[in-house]
């Protein structure tokens, strides 16, 4: 009986940490939505460091695998990642402007393709596809018309929303997991036989 109790406590503790991490992500997402400029620069710096660390790891892996056919390819890819990481870290504002322009073009092309595809195909989801295409087209135009000023808040807003929704998902997972563990423990306790009462009643009958 002690082993399932210890396992349940360990699971409750793990789900509790997930809930705490989700709450921290939600707080970070809300702060990022309030200070979108800071969130944009933070996301760019994180992106740059990820590229730099990934490039260094790739370079070490390529050195370890020297003598193979993929050595020079690994070195080139790692060097490109390191160079891109250094550029992003040194020029986060310019990188944000370039990525915002790229995002606006993606919204525009995606919206146009959805609009044209929904009109040509005329499937059962035509209305929903038209709505998605119109929203993507409108969002791309709004970001593009306000560029480069839009680079100060677009990426930070997306980054903060991602943190917010990831945090809410972790909170829901942690609370749901603790409830499931409590339900399983309650059912296990209900299913256990009451040996003390049974033995007492049986001794009384024997007497």
């Amino acid at each position: 009986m002690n082993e399932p109790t210890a396992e349940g406590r360990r699971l409750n503790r793990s789900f509790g940490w997930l809930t705490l991490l989700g709450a921290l992500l939600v707080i970070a997402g809300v702060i990022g939505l309030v200070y979108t400029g800071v969130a944009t620069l933070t996301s760019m710096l994180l992106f740059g460091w990820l590229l730099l660390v990934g490039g260094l790891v790739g370079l070490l892996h390529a050195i370890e695998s020297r003598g193979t056919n993929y050595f020079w390819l690994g070195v080139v890819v790692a060097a490109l990642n390191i160079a891109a990481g250094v550029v992003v870290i040194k020029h986060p504002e310019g990188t944000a402007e370039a990525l915002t322009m790229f995002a606006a073009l993606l919204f525009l092309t995606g919206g146009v393709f959805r609009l044209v595809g929904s009109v040509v195909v005329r499937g059962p989801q035509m209305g929903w596809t038209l709505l998605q295409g119109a929203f993507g087209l409108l969002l791309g135009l709004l970001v593009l018309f306000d560029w480069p000023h839009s680079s100060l808040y677009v990426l930070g807003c997306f980054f903060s929303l991602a943190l917010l929704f990831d945090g809410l998902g972790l909170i829901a997972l942690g609370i749901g997991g603790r409830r499931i563990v409590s339900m399983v423990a309650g059912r296990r306790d209900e299913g256990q036989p009451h040996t003390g009462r049974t033995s007492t009643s049986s001794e009384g009958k024997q007497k």
Side-chain angles (χ1 to χ4, degrees):
M1 294 177 63
N2 294 329
E3 186 175 355
T5 304
E7 184 70 19
R9 290 176 180 175
R10 188 183 67 82
L11 289 175
N12 279 329
R13 197 178 304 115
S14 301
F15 285 122
W17 282 113
L18 279 179
T19 305
L20 179 60
L21 178 60
L24 293 177
L25 290 180
V26 169
I27 294 173
V30 172
I31 294 175
L33 289 175
V34 176
Y35 303 100
T36 52
V38 177
T40 298
L41 293 179
T42 303
S43 61
M44 289 298 96
L45 291 175
L46 287 176
F47 180 59
W49 280 108
L50 285 176
L51 286 175
L52 184 60
V53 173
L56 292 175
V57 172
L59 183 61
L60 291 176
H61 182 69
I63 292 174
E64 290 179 355
S65 62
R66 58 184 178 274
T68 61
N69 296 328
Y70 304 99
F71 170 71
W72 288 109
L73 179 61
V75 171
V76 171
V77 172
L80 290 176
N81 286 332
I82 292 173
V86 171
V87 170
V88 172
I89 293 173
K90 286 188 175 181
H91 306 284
E93 295 88 355
T95 306
E97 292 180 359
L99 289 179
T100 303
M101 173 66 74
F102 181 69
L105 294 177
L106 282 180
F107 289 140
L108 285 174
T109 54
V112 169
F113 275 113
R114 282 191 176 93
L115 289 174
V116 174
S118 61
V119 172
V120 172
V121 176
R122 295 180 180 275
Q125 302 294 330
M126 178 180 177
W128 179 248
T129 308
L130 281 173
L131 182 61
Q132 286 181 327
F135 180 76
L137 185 62
L138 179 62
L139 185 60
L141 290 175
L142 289 175
V143 174
L144 192 60
F145 287 158
D146 198 28
W147 190 86
H149 182 263
S150 59
S151 62
L152 297 177
Y153 58 86
V154 169
L155 297 178
C157 183
F158 289 161
F159 179 68
S160 302
L161 287 175
L163 289 178
L164 181 62
F165 287 115
D166 287 343
L168 292 175
L170 287 178
I171 290 175
L173 180 62
I175 295 175
R178 289 175 69 92
R179 288 180 178 176
I180 292 174
V181 171
S182 300
M183 291 173 59
V184 171
R187 291 181 180 178
R188 183 178 297 164
D189 293 337
E190 291 177 358
Q192 290 178 354
H194 300 283
T195 56
R197 295 180 180 178
T198 306
S199 60
T200 304
S201 60
S202 60
E203 289 178 358
K205 289 181 180 180
Q206 289 177 1
K207 291 180 180 179

